[in-house]
Amino acid sequence: MIHKSQSNARQFILGLAAASVLSTTMVTAAKADVVTSIRPLAFIAAGIADGVTDTQVLLPDGASPHDYALKPSDLKKIKQADLFVWIGPDMEMFLDKPLKTLPQKKRLALAQQANIVPLLMKGDDEDKHSHDHVDEANHDTDHEHHHHGEYNMHIWLSPEIAKQAALGIHDRLVELYPEQKDKLDVNLRKFNEKMTQNDENIVNILEPAKNKGYFVFHDAYGYFEKHYRLAPLGHFTINPEIQPGAQKLHNIRTQLVEHKAQCVFAEPQFRPAVIESVAKNTGVKMGTLDPLGSGLEIGPDSYMQFLTQLSKQYASCLN
């Protein structure tokens, strides 16, 4: 009888332990994180959320924010997010409808924030110094498909906007986790200090590349080029999904033959044979720029690492 009682007690204790583990597992599974649309935004968010909550990214490496089809698992991740950070509908139209199901406090469209709107570049701003003349018909078609508006939405490539994005994410996380305000304040201060130091390092990295002409495949780098005073000659396409026209390719090749450019940059996501064919027998070097930081780990220093990596990609081809 005593043995049976001990056995029942042991089963009861084991049952409680199992229930506790199950409860913990369920809480963990239900735990929501900061989720961002693209990897560079996760780099910024991770710097602010470090030690407070995890940061996840929605789009897998190699996917383009210009044209992505959401999967059921993506929709689930959006629904469970404590905070979803994205550029906005002008860049990521595919997210507009799903994100409207989230409460306002759980979604942050950076390009619509009051502290970021004044820093946005108009499409024409990034081409002021371009020697590349595009026929108007092609330009209008590309512009409509790519920007869906008058501004360049590649805002994650602007160090100034990144700081404002970090502030916006900080303020929203303080609302969501008021008990973590001190930690979030420290993270924001560290992020800004690291950005200042990193900016000085990048200026040094890019110094030998100043005033050296080049072409990029995809019209994505205007903010970065403007900030660091680089000298792009133009781009192959505004929308990476659309191949450049014959007239544009002729104009680019003419400039390559005349040695106005030192380098032509492709991208990991887009390596069209058209770049190789245009650059063939011109003596112009080919490089690769990664505007999304594919493969970089998400952590508190990731955004600084991302900008440094991009700078070195420029420098390695232009030096």
Side-chain angles (χ1 to χ4, degrees), residues 44 48 83 85 108 110 113 115-116 161-175 188:
I44 299 171
I48 306 306
L83 176 63
V85 183
L108 182 63
L110 294 174
Q113 298 307 296
N115 60 334
I116 289 177
I161 291 178
K163 285 184 177 182
Q164 296 303 320
L167 176 60
I169 292 168
H170 163 273
D171 292 350
R172 192 62 64 88
L173 289 180
V174 168
E175 289 179 35
L188 180 63

Side-chain angles (χ1 to χ4, degrees), residues 93-249:
M93 183 65 72
F94 65 93
L95 284 171
D96 194 28
K97 188 174 179 181
L99 287 179
K100 284 178 179 173
T101 64
L102 290 181
Q104 185 70 45
K105 68 176 182 178
K106 289 195 169 191
R107 47 191 161 103
L108 182 63
L110 294 174
Q112 297 176 350
Q113 298 307 296
N115 60 334
I116 289 177
V117 170
L119 301 175
L120 296 179
M121 286 171 57
K122 291 193 174 182
D124 291 337
D125 289 351
E126 61 200 306
D127 290 326
K128 282 190 298 189
H129 44 268
S130 174
H131 303 287
D132 180 31
H133 302 288
V134 192
D135 69 274
E136 289 299 320
N138 283 346
H139 179 79
D140 288 346
T141 302
D142 285 357
H143 188 278
E144 180 184 353
H145 279 84
H146 182 73
H147 290 300
H148 308 289
E150 62 179 314
Y151 295 104
N152 181 333
M153 288 289 116
H154 299 87
I155 60 175
W156 66 90
L157 289 167
S158 164
E160 295 97 336
I161 291 178
K163 285 184 177 182
Q164 296 303 320
L167 176 60
I169 292 168
H170 163 273
D171 292 350
R172 192 62 64 88
L173 289 180
V174 168
E175 289 179 35
L176 292 167
Y177 309 114
E179 73 284 358
Q180 298 279 8
K181 182 181 185 303
D182 289 347
K183 174 64 175 170
L184 291 165
D185 288 350
V186 169
N187 287 349
L188 180 63
R189 177 177 55 78
K190 286 182 177 178
F191 183 88
N192 286 328
E193 288 173 354
K194 290 174 184 176
M195 282 290 289
T196 299
Q197 180 60 52
N198 198 58
D199 194 60
E200 294 174 5
N201 294 340
I202 290 176
V203 168
N204 291 331
I205 291 171
L206 290 174
E207 185 60 38
K210 289 281 183 69
N211 302 316
K212 293 183 179 178
Y214 61 89
F215 283 94
V216 295
F217 169 60
H218 171 205
D219 176 26
Y221 308 93
Y223 289 101
F224 186 87
E225 293 165 339
K226 182 179 180 182
H227 182 83
Y228 292 109
R229 300 180 181 178
L230 298 176
L233 294 171
H235 45 265
F236 280 70
T237 181
I238 292 179
N239 185 342
E241 308 295 339
I242 298 176
Q243 290 294 316
Q247 181 62 47
K248 182 157 197 172
L249 293 178

Side-chain angles (χ1 to χ4, degrees), residues 11 23 112 138 180 301 312:
Q11 288 179 4
S23 174
Q112 297 176 350
N138 283 346
Q180 298 279 8
D301 298 327
K312 289 179 177 178

